[in-house]
Amino acid sequence: MNNQSIFEQAAPILEQLEKAGFDAYYVGGAVRDFLLNRPIGDVDIATSALPEEVKSVFPKTVDVGIEHGTVLVIWRGDGYEITTFRTESDYKDFRRPEKVAFVRTLEEDLKRRDFTINAMAMDRHGAIIDPFDGKTALQLRQIQTVGEARERFSEDALRMMRAARFVSQLGFQLHPKTEEALSRCAHLLQHIAVERKLMEMDKLLAGKEVTAGLRVLVNGGLLAYLPGLTGKEQLIDQMLSYDLSRLTARQNWLFLLVLLAPDQPGDWLKEWRMPAKKIKYLAGTYEWFLKVQEVDWSAFSLYEAGIERAADAEAVSALYAGRPPRAEELKRQHEALPIKNRKELAITGKELKEWKHETGGPWMKQYLEMIERAVVQKKVENRKDKIKEWLEACNLL
């Protein structure tokens, strides 16, 4: 669905609120990305209607964050978050507002937002409301806070990482005053939950201008307050000398491991509060990266690693060595393998027990591993009769 269609689909929501006597607008990132002609995900809607008034307009709603003014409206099978215009004050621990007050004017609501490019609104007819000159910032390709930068960063210190993330995603530069405030406020980042830092870091590492985004973290002194990166400025500087745009976000995490070379990569990743599945994947892929520095991919190592891990390890290895990646070559080699996992073996432990006339035991695992390797290396065809013949020829039956 294109951007125009997304707004047209949501337009009846705004129209219903307007018919009920309230103001309603598209706000935030959707407006920014519309003006930049970037793909839009969800649209956020802000309104002068209080939460209970929103609920009175629409027949089907869910209280998803009503204490902060947000109501989920179900409209023609789709969900839309509608938030009452509000102001925030008395921020606790540099991350959460102690007081949220509902207001009736759009400008008061936009004033609380982080950056001018995110502080624009659009009505259902396409007219842009831009009290803080966000359109100019878009033209200048600048990230600038709404109002005084130190105040915005003191309200929510994560905004400093968001600034770096937008540099990476949009290819913009920081406004000089916004950049200056980073180093003055960097210490406030210690109050932010690691999980929130991880979300921003993931998005930063996925950006097309990831090198510029990481440079913001270095120059702003933010590394000292990120897990496992305190005192690692020199290594991150080394990382910035590579063309990181060649890598995915996951591969950039792997590249970080390669440069930092922690004794326990899993423990280092745990400091970031990553999901266990992602930690296991990255730590395992890092081990494969190390292995193929010593011995190149073979049919069986490619089989053991799997094409996903192999492709990630290869992308990082190629960038690190300064050579072209061989992803397509590895993909072809993987596709040519006789089997892709043990489940595709033509036999199971049941046949082995019948052939050897023995009960199960550790020997079965050893046999299956030998057969698996032989099939992958094309020493034996993946057919039950051929495997039995091979075992007999090896005096194993």
Side-chain angles (χ1 to χ4, degrees):
M1 186 181 296
N2 62 40
N3 289 352
Q4 192 63 44
S5 298
I6 290 173
F7 285 118
E8 288 174 357
Q9 189 170 305
I13 300 287
L14 277 65
E15 188 176 7
Q16 291 296 313
L17 287 164
E18 290 170 359
K19 283 181 178 179
F22 305 106
D23 295 328
Y25 301 91
Y26 306 112
V27 293
V31 178
R32 176 200 69 225
D33 290 339
F34 174 72
L35 293 174
L36 289 173
N37 198 29
R38 297 178 77 240
I40 293 171
D42 299 326
V43 294
D44 293 322
I45 298 170
T47 179
S48 61
L50 298 174
E52 292 301 325
E53 292 170 333
V54 172
K55 292 170 70 173
S56 71
V57 173
F58 300 97
K60 193 170 183 181
T61 63
V62 181
D63 297 350
V64 294
I66 198 166
E67 69 278 5
H68 292 112
T70 302
V71 174
L72 180 69
V73 170
I74 309 299
W75 181 264
R76 295 175 182 172
D78 293 314
Y80 297 90
E81 286 193 358
I82 302 179
T83 303
T84 302
F85 298 155
R86 71 190 193 206
T87 60
E88 299 172 345
S89 59
D90 298 340
Y91 284 76
K92 179 182 179 182
D93 294 334
F94 309 99
R95 61 184 187 268
R96 286 191 301 266
E98 285 281 281
K99 297 178 182 177
V100 173
F102 299 136
V103 294
R104 295 290 189 176
T105 64
L106 173 64
E107 186 167 340
E108 282 296 303
D109 180 81
L110 296 178
K111 189 186 296 185
R112 70 178 173 82
R113 297 175 184 268
D114 52 8
F115 305 110
T116 60
I117 60 172
N118 297 330
M120 295 180 285
M122 184 171 74
D123 68 18
R124 64 186 175 93
H125 303 293
I128 301 295
I129 297 86
D130 183 19
F132 304 105
D133 218 10
K135 288 176 74 173
T136 297
L138 288 181
Q139 292 167 359
L140 295 174
R141 300 178 65 81
Q142 279 190 337
I143 307 297
Q144 180 178 7
T145 58
V146 176
E148 211 281 311
R150 292 177 68 179
E151 285 185 23
R152 296 292 82 78
F153 294 154
S154 295
E155 291 166 353
D156 184 352
L158 190 69
R159 286 171 172 166
M160 292 182 283
M161 286 197 72
R162 282 171 59 82
R165 184 248 290 187
F166 284 125
V167 167
S168 174
Q169 287 182 324
L170 303 178
F172 287 13
Q173 294 181 330
L174 295 182
H175 185 279
K177 290 185 177 178
T178 301
E179 186 173 17
E180 180 187 1
L182 281 182
S183 56
R184 293 176 178 270
C185 299
H187 65 282
L188 301 178
L189 200 58
Q190 65 188 303
H191 301 288
I192 301 300
V194 173
E195 290 82 357
R196 295 184 72 204
K197 295 175 184 176
L198 174 62
M199 288 179 64
E200 292 300 325
M201 193 66 165
D202 275 334
K203 294 174 183 177
L204 187 159
L205 293 178
K208 291 183 178 179
E209 299 295 334
V210 56
T211 300
L214 288 172
R215 176 62 65 190
V216 171
L217 298 184
V218 174
N219 292 348
L222 303 183
L223 288 185
Y225 306 98
L226 298 180
L229 295 180
T230 303
K232 304 297 183 182
E233 289 82 3
Q234 190 172 349
L235 284 173
I236 301 303
D237 268 331
Q238 181 186 346
M239 184 174 180
L240 301 186
S241 67
Y242 292 88
D243 181 10
L244 302 177
S245 65
R246 285 171 48 178
L247 304 181
T248 65
R250 189 168 67 187
Q251 290 165 359
N252 274 316
W253 277 112
L254 180 59
F255 200 60
L256 266 174
L257 284 176
V258 168
L259 293 179
L260 296 172
D263 292 335
Q264 299 294 330
D267 291 345
W268 186 87
L269 294 168
K270 283 178 184 177
E271 291 184 48
W272 280 93
R273 303 287 194 273
M274 280 187 186
K277 186 176 180 181
K278 187 172 183 178
I279 291 173
K280 182 179 179 181
Y281 179 88
L282 284 171
T285 307
Y286 175 63
E287 292 302 318
W288 277 110
F289 168 87
L290 295 177
K291 287 177 184 177
V292 296
Q293 303 312 297
E294 302 293 330
V295 181
D296 199 12
W297 293 103
S298 66
F300 195 68
S301 63
L302 191 56
Y303 168 82
E304 283 188 302
I307 189 57
E308 192 175 11
R309 268 203 171 106
D312 283 345
E314 164 60 20
V316 171
S317 182
L319 183 62
Y320 189 63
R323 60 171 174 78
R326 298 179 298 155
E328 289 304 314
E329 179 187 339
L330 290 184
K331 186 177 179 182
R332 286 193 298 270
Q333 290 178 15
H334 187 265
E335 288 174 351
L337 293 175
I339 59 172
K340 307 298 188 296
N341 56 67
R342 184 174 288 184
K343 290 180 181 178
E344 295 181 4
L345 269 180
I347 68 157
T348 65
K350 180 182 177 183
E351 284 85 9
L352 285 177
K353 286 190 290 184
E354 291 175 355
W355 294 345
K356 278 189 69 74
H357 308 291
E358 291 185 17
T359 58
W363 68 270
M364 285 179 56
K365 180 181 178 183
Q366 296 172 0
Y367 269 51
L368 286 171
E369 288 176 352
M370 283 190 296
I371 296 166
E372 188 177 24
R373 183 180 289 272
V375 168
V376 170
Q377 294 175 338
K378 299 184 179 179
K379 293 179 179 179
V380 60
E381 191 177 344
N382 188 34
R383 283 172 40 188
K384 196 175 295 185
D385 58 335
K386 295 295 183 182
I387 292 172
K388 186 176 182 183
E389 288 176 9
W390 180 78
L391 289 172
E392 289 171 340
C394 295
N395 294 317
L396 295 172
L397 289 182

